[in-house]
């Protein structure tokens, strides 16, 4: 369930939160649009909104335990726990927690991973909340629910800042409700696309695929500079080898380019409207001036 | 010298027969504790701990020291031979299970750093992520995570530091901080000081002023303080390394 579906529709805080999240394309691998919450943490107002919304929701639910998944769950969990008077339980990668632990294996896209919790963390029949920054497949959260239930806790809800749209409505994870603040942000920043290209290929040349399926045509730095005059681009004009990541790069650049062009087009349309309004005002002003002048003439003539 | 039951959370099974936790003053005038050497035995538990804690708290208050420290110190569990033989691991997860101790820990840091023009709280992965954000939120600063390599998705700067065998790196996002900002760096514990020193170098490279490094625990025998250069260090509790 998303916050907008549950009483927070129109709440401006949700837009602030969404705007503060940055998207990094193709991290950690091609095809993944990574939701980077570190930019949210740089905005104390937006970060506080996240915590406030969760605290408002959970403070009267009699929750005594907040479990956070390593590592980004460690950032959001403790402030909530402190505010609602609950204890904080870190759920960690294997081998990190000392003392006696219980483990839960869960599936990744390729292979398995494991989550651990201290055996002493839970007193039986505690009401627990699980926190993570983002829910995608739900695998990590499901493993967390299992750990807590095996230890005797009752998981009341799972809460995430970002969630894929498929989690709308009455969606449940292992029978537990899920509460999400915002959908994934679409805000791809051009700088991050270009940085990604540099990092992937080690040179600063971008290849644009000819739309009529001709050969790949290299675009030099100078040409790039005319397209993106507001960006500082440095590097040397060396060609890349290999067409596979060149294709990925082209796709990314085209996306970014499309965004820029449509934003500029919108700007131009807005500018044109303003121009028209100004012209209309000037005309009206001239008419008024003429009217005042005529009236003044009539007065001086009659007196 | 009183002996107190140290680092026991009532619902924990006793980890091993003999543990030692020493509470020391940590050389900064505002918070000083009398020195205590303590031993635990399997039988002694909650009641003893509570009454001795309140005696210590009362003594601390009379001396003008922060009476919250004894409870914080006793909520930290020491696990011997973790992650390797010979290391006495300072386990703060038991502090996090004690809502009052956790709140007091954060309150002490917030009281110290509020209103000092600090705009950056940097926290070192992963336990620095637990203490840093509540402090950042309370003082209105931004929180900057400093992470192991390849975890941060955007453009990063890195700093290498030495381990016992080999080196490791920490990273920070480019653009997270600006020159001239005032920062504190948070971690749960300072041992050799390698990680904190690397964090200091990272921030100073981009022109940030380190106001102070703050940790819950110091292991003074490992002399981590010496690696921090000009940056002051603030701690709540000191302990034996081994």
């Amino acid at each position: 369930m998303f916050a907008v579906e549950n009483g927070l529709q129109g709440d401006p805080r949700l837009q602030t939160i969404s705007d503060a999240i940055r998207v990094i394309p193709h991290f950690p691998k091609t095809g993944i649009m990574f939701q980077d919450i570190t930019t949210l943490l740089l905005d104390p107002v937006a970060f506080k909104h996240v915590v406030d919304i969760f605290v408002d929701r959970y403070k009267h639910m009699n929750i005594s335990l907040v479990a956070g998944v390593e590592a980004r769950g460690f950032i959001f969990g403790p402030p909530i726990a402190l505010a609602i008077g609950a204890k904080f339980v870190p759920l960690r990668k294997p081998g990190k927690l000392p003392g006696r632990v219980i483990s839960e294996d869960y599936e990744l896209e390729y292979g398995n991973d494991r989550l651990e919790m201290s055996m002493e963390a839970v007193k039986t029949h505690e009401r627990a909340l699980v926190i993570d920054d983002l829910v995608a497949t739900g695998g990590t959260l499901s493993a967390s629910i299992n750990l807590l239930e095996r230890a005797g806790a009752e998981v009341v809800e799972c809460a995430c800042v970002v969630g894929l749209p498929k989690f709308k409505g009455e969606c449940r994870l292992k029978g537990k409700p899920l509460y999400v603040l915002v959908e994934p942000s679409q805000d791809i920043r051009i700088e991050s696309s270009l940085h990604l290209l540099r990092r992937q290929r080690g040179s600063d040349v971008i290849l644009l695929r000819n739309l009529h399926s001709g050969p790949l045509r290299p675009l030099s730095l100078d040409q790039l500079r005319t397209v993106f005059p507001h960006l500082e681009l440095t590097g040397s004009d060396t060609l890349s080898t290999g067409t596979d990541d060149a294709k990925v790069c082209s796709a990314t650049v085209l996306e970014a380019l499309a965004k820029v062009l449509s934003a500029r087009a919108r700007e131009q349309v807005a500018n044109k409207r303003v121009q028209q309004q100004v012209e209309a005002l000037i005309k009206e002003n001239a008419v008024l001036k003429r009217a005042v002048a005529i009236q003044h003439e009539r007065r001086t003539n009659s007196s | 010298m009183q002996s107190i039951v140290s680092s026991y959370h009532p619902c924990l099974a006793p980890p091993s027969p003999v543990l030692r936790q020493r509470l020391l003053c940590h050389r900064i005038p505002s918070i000083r504790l009398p020195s205590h050497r303590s031993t635990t035995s399997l039988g002694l538990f909650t009641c003893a701990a509570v009454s001795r804690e309140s005696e210590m708290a009362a003594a601390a208050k009379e001396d003008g020291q922060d009476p919250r420290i004894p409870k914080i110190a006793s909520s930290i569990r020491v696990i011997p031979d973790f992650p390797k033989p010979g290391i006495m691991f300072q386990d703060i997860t038991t502090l996090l299970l004690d809502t009052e101790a956790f709140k007091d820990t954060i309150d002490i840091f917030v009281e110290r750093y509020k209103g000092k023009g600090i705009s950056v709280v940097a926290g070192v992965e992963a336990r620095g992520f637990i203490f840093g954000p509540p402090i950042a939120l309370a003082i209105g600063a931004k929180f900057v995570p400093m992470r192991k390599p390849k975890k941060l998705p955007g453009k990063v700067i890195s700093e290498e530091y030495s381990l016992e065998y080999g080196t490791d790196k920490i990273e920070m996002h480019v653009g997270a901080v600006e020159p001239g900002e005032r920062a504190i760096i948070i971690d749960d514990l300072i041992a050799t000081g390698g990680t904190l020193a690397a964090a200091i170098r990272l921030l100073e490279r981009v022109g940030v002023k380190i106001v102070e490094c703050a940790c819950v625990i110091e292991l003074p025998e490992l002399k981590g303080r010496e690696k921090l250069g000009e940056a002051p260090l603030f701690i709540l509790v000191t302990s034996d390394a081994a």
Side-chain angles (χ1 to χ4, degrees):
Chain A
M1 161 176 46
F2 277 74
V4 284
E5 297 171 286
N6 189 26
L8 288 184
Q9 187 171 28
D11 190 322
R13 293 178 298 178
L14 294 176
Q15 190 61 50
T16 309
I17 291 167
S18 187
D19 289 345
I21 297 172
R22 166 172 81 156
V23 177
I24 307 279
H26 310 299
F27 180 91
K29 41 184 210 208
T30 313
I32 298 187
M33 305 302 263
F34 189 85
Q35 301 290 311
D36 179 19
I37 49 93
T38 65
T39 42
L40 173 79
L41 307 176
L42 296 179
D43 181 345
V45 170
F47 187 14
K48 189 165 186 305
H49 286 334
V50 169
V51 176
D52 286 346
I53 292 173
F54 284 134
V55 168
D56 283 340
R57 180 172 176 78
Y58 297 118
K59 64 187 174 198
H60 298 305
M61 283 198 190
N62 203 19
I63 288 170
S64 60
L65 189 159
V66 174
V69 182
E70 173 166 16
R72 290 183 286 267
F74 288 9
I75 296 175
F76 296 100
I80 298 168
L82 285 161
I84 68 175
K87 53 195 192 186
F88 179 70
V89 173
L91 303 179
R92 298 208 70 172
K93 301 266 186 266
K96 302 285 185 77
L97 286 169
R100 297 182 305 170
V101 296
I102 54 174
S103 321
E104 181 79 22
D105 284 336
Y106 64 103
E107 278 180 25
L108 297 171
E109 198 179 355
Y110 301 109
N112 284 346
D113 207 344
R114 176 180 285 189
L115 215 53
E116 292 186 341
M117 180 175 82
S118 169
M119 269 186 132
E120 285 87 13
V122 177
K123 294 185 215 169
T124 324
H125 304 310
E126 293 209 67
R127 287 166 58 81
L129 175 67
V130 184
I131 298 272
D132 205 356
D133 64 324
L134 180 142
V135 55
T137 60
T140 323
L141 285 178
S142 298
S144 311
I145 293 169
N146 284 345
L147 274 175
L148 286 161
E149 291 193 323
R150 279 165 56 194
E154 180 203 338
V155 176
V156 173
E157 196 159 87
C158 296
C160 297
V161 181
V162 189
L164 297 188
K166 70 183 185 189
F167 294 110
K168 283 187 180 153
E170 283 304 308
C171 194
R172 290 190 164 234
L173 271 177
K174 299 197 77 69
K176 304 298 175 184
L178 179 60
Y179 185 74
V180 180
L181 296 190
V182 296
E183 290 186 41
S185 168
Q186 306 296 324
D187 174 27
I188 304 170
R189 300 185 191 173
I190 294 175
E191 291 85 339
S192 56
S193 304
L194 287 176
H195 156 69
L196 175 71
L197 293 168
R198 252 178 244 130
R199 213 166 60 164
Q200 275 186 340
R201 297 161 51 253
S203 81
D204 287 331
V205 175
I206 297 173
L207 297 172
L208 274 182
R209 182 165 185 79
N210 185 316
L211 287 172
H212 298 291
S213 65
L216 290 169
R217 204 169 47 118
L219 196 68
S220 74
L221 265 183
D222 283 319
Q223 288 168 305
L224 259 184
R225 283 194 185 104
T226 52
V227 175
F228 300 115
H230 59 294
L231 291 179
E232 273 187 39
L233 304 172
T234 55
S236 60
D237 270 342
T238 48
L239 287 176
S240 88
T241 53
T243 50
D244 276 324
D245 59 69
K247 283 183 191 166
V248 168
C249 295
S250 327
T252 319
V253 169
L254 283 173
E255 267 178 279
L257 192 58
K259 271 210 127 196
V260 167
L261 291 176
S262 60
R264 283 213 193 135
R266 265 179 274 135
E267 240 180 78
Q268 280 178 344
V269 167
N271 281 346
K272 200 147 187 179
R273 250 185 272 132
V274 170
Q275 218 178 346
Q276 286 169 346
Q277 284 171 342
V278 167
E279 277 167 15
L281 275 171
I282 292 176
K283 276 196 194 135
E284 273 181 35
N285 196 33
V287 166
L288 275 170
K289 269 197 205 165
R290 181 97 189 97
V292 166
I294 292 171
Q295 196 170 46
H296 183 75
E297 230 181 273
R298 285 189 190 153
R299 283 222 189 103
T300 45
N301 283 346
S302 59
S303 68
Chain B
M1 275 256 229
Q2 294 173 346
S3 66
I4 66 165
V5 175
S6 75
S7 60
Y8 259 80
H9 191 271
C11 70
L12 295 174
S16 89
V18 178
L19 299 170
R20 261 192 291 151
Q21 173 133 349
R22 186 163 35 129
L23 302 170
L24 283 184
C25 39
H26 56 77
R27 298 165 212 123
I28 293 178
S30 54
I31 299 178
R32 288 171 52 89
L33 293 172
S35 236
H36 287 267
R37 200 164 282 275
S38 68
T39 54
T40 69
S41 67
L42 287 173
L44 285 182
F45 247 99
T46 358
C47 301
V50 165
S51 67
R52 280 167 189 157
E53 264 170 45
S54 40
E55 277 170 29
M56 275 205 64
K61 213 166 181 179
E62 273 173 21
D63 279 342
Q65 296 142 28
D66 197 313
R68 297 171 286 188
I69 299 276
K71 185 164 171 51
I72 293 172
S74 67
S75 71
I76 298 167
R77 174 171 69 157
V78 182
I79 309 262
D81 301 324
F82 183 90
K84 331 185 273 222
I87 298 193
M88 300 292 275
F89 187 84
Q90 306 288 322
D91 180 18
I92 48 94
T93 64
T94 45
L95 185 161
L96 307 175
L97 295 177
D98 181 337
T99 48
E100 209 183 296
F102 188 19
K103 185 178 183 306
D104 285 345
T105 305
I106 300 298
D107 285 348
I108 293 174
F109 288 127
V110 169
E111 287 159 20
R112 186 176 179 84
Y113 298 119
K114 201 167 189 158
K116 302 272 165 61
I118 289 164
S119 57
V120 175
V121 172
V124 182
E125 170 168 17
R127 289 183 286 264
F129 287 9
I130 296 176
F131 295 99
I135 298 169
L137 284 164
I139 69 174
K142 48 194 184 187
F143 177 70
V144 176
M146 308 193 106
R147 300 210 65 173
K148 300 263 186 272
K150 302 212 181 80
K151 299 288 185 75
L152 290 170
K155 196 169 182 187
V156 296
I157 53 171
S158 326
E159 188 70 35
E160 222 171 56
Y161 62 101
S162 305
L163 298 171
E164 196 179 2
Y165 300 107
T167 59
D168 204 346
K169 256 196 220 179
I170 55 166
E171 297 185 336
M172 178 175 78
H173 267 147
V174 167
V177 295
E178 275 156 48
E181 292 206 82
R182 289 160 54 80
I184 55 171
I185 308 176
I186 303 278
D187 205 355
D188 66 323
L189 178 145
I190 173 172
T192 59
T195 326
L196 274 177
I200 292 172
R201 288 196 299 274
L202 253 185
L203 288 165
E204 287 186 336
R205 268 166 61 188
V206 287
V208 167
K209 164 118 180 88
I210 314 297
V211 173
E212 197 157 78
C213 293
C215 301
V216 181
I217 306 163
E218 180 188 19
L219 305 178
E221 289 162 12
L222 300 179
K223 304 203 173 129
R225 201 180 273 265
E226 291 169 16
K227 287 226 180 76
L228 305 184
E230 306 255 305
L233 176 65
F234 175 73
I235 16 226
L236 306 188
V237 169
T238 62
S239 191
D240 296 335

